[in-house]
């Protein structure tokens, strides 16, 4: 597509879990599209894996010239839900914000981590226990206890207690180191 000073980033919604399909179809039509993704740890069939997930599920961005864009053709592209609107106006995002997200995503891709690195716990990390007798409790990671277990500090009945828990049953808190 030709460069124009009138181009803006528009916000699109995709159909549920069809962000990649919408992205691929718009790209093949020659549009400049942005679908930010991040690495996330997912639990599938009892084991943890790393997958690339959309940063904003069901949303993607397209760079268009308002005067020449065919909004109806874009809206009818496979995988696309619709344009995000505020009343009768299409939602637009400033170039600066999109560039900042793209820069952050590039740095994330450059520092792509393996499952082992994402699950590498440090002493003092806050963790949540997802299963077992301590399910739903928050704990502080203390140390490894062999290859498959960890020692955690849990506050029970007003005092801190050390417990050994299987690594598969815990996850780091999002804001933890």
């Amino acid at each position: 597509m030709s460069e124009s000073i009138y181009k803006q980033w528009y916000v699109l919604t995709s159909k549920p879990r069809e962000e990649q399909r919408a992205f691929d179809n718009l790209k093949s039509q020659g549009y400049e599209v942005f679908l930010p993704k991040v690495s996330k740890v997912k639990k599938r069939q009892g084991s943890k894996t790393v997958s690339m997930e959309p940063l904003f599920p069901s949303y993607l961005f397209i760079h268009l010239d308002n005067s020449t864009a065919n909004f109806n053709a874009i809206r009818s592209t496979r995988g696309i839900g619709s344009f995000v609107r505020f009343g009768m106006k299409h939602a637009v995002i400033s170039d600066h914000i999109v560039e900042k997200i793209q820069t952050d995503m590039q740095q994330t891709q450059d520092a792509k981590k393996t499952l082992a690195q994402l699950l590498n716990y440090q002493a003092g990390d806050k963790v949540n226990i997802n299963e077992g007798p301590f399910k739903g409790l928050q704990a502080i990671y203390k140390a490894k206890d062999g290859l498959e277990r960890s020692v955690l500090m849990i506050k029970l009945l007003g005092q801190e207690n050390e417990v050994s828990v299987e690594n598969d049953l815990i996850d780091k808190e999002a804001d933890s180191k």
Side-chain angles (χ1 to χ4, degrees):
M1 311 241 69
S2 62
E3 280 300 312
S4 170
I5 60 170
Y6 300 109
K7 277 191 162 186
Q8 293 181 308
W9 285 99
Y10 291 86
V11 184
L12 290 168
T13 60
S14 71
K15 292 180 179 169
R17 292 175 298 286
E18 290 195 14
E19 300 93 344
Q20 190 62 51
R21 181 181 194 183
F23 176 84
D24 293 340
N25 287 328
L26 289 169
K27 274 297 226 196
S28 69
Q29 294 175 43
Y31 291 106
E32 184 180 356
V33 189
F34 179 47
L35 175 62
K37 291 184 172 186
V38 293
S39 297
K40 289 190 178 180
V41 177
K42 292 284 184 176
K43 199 173 208 178
R44 291 193 181 117
Q45 298 176 349
S47 63
K48 293 179 182 178
T49 59
V50 176
S51 65
M52 294 299 289
E53 300 284 328
L55 180 63
F56 309 111
S58 296
Y59 291 93
L60 57 157
F61 308 99
I62 186 166
H63 205 208
L64 297 172
D65 183 343
N66 190 17
S67 62
T68 60
N70 184 347
F71 286 83
N72 289 331
I74 294 167
R75 207 174 27 249
S76 64
T77 299
R78 287 181 183 250
I80 295 296
S82 64
F83 280 88
V84 175
R85 294 173 173 257
F86 296 110
M88 294 302 290
K89 296 187 80 157
H90 290 101
V92 294
I93 304 276
S94 75
D95 290 343
H96 173 72
I97 292 173
V98 172
E99 288 170 9
K100 175 70 172 134
I101 296 170
Q102 287 173 329
T103 302
D104 290 348
M105 292 294 103
Q106 185 60 44
Q107 290 172 352
T108 301
Q109 293 302 325
D110 292 344
K112 200 172 193 178
K113 296 183 177 179
T114 64
L115 179 62
Q117 290 169 319
L118 288 170
L119 296 177
N120 184 22
Y121 299 105
Q122 303 291 323
D125 284 350
K126 292 180 183 177
V127 296
N128 292 314
I129 303 173
N130 299 320
E131 294 178 38
F134 302 110
K135 180 179 180 175
L137 293 179
Q138 187 181 68
I140 305 294
Y141 182 85
K142 187 171 179 187
K144 289 183 180 183
D145 185 15
L147 293 175
E148 299 190 10
R149 297 180 70 81
S150 296
V151 177
L152 306 176
M153 294 296 292
I154 298 177
K155 193 168 192 173
L156 291 172
L157 302 173
Q159 77 188 91
E160 291 183 351
N161 298 289
E162 280 187 18
V163 295
S164 183
V165 176
E166 290 181 33
N167 292 337
D168 288 345
L169 306 182
I170 62 174
D171 286 317
K172 274 188 187 179
E173 255 193 29
D175 64 346
S176 189
K177 294 180 188 173

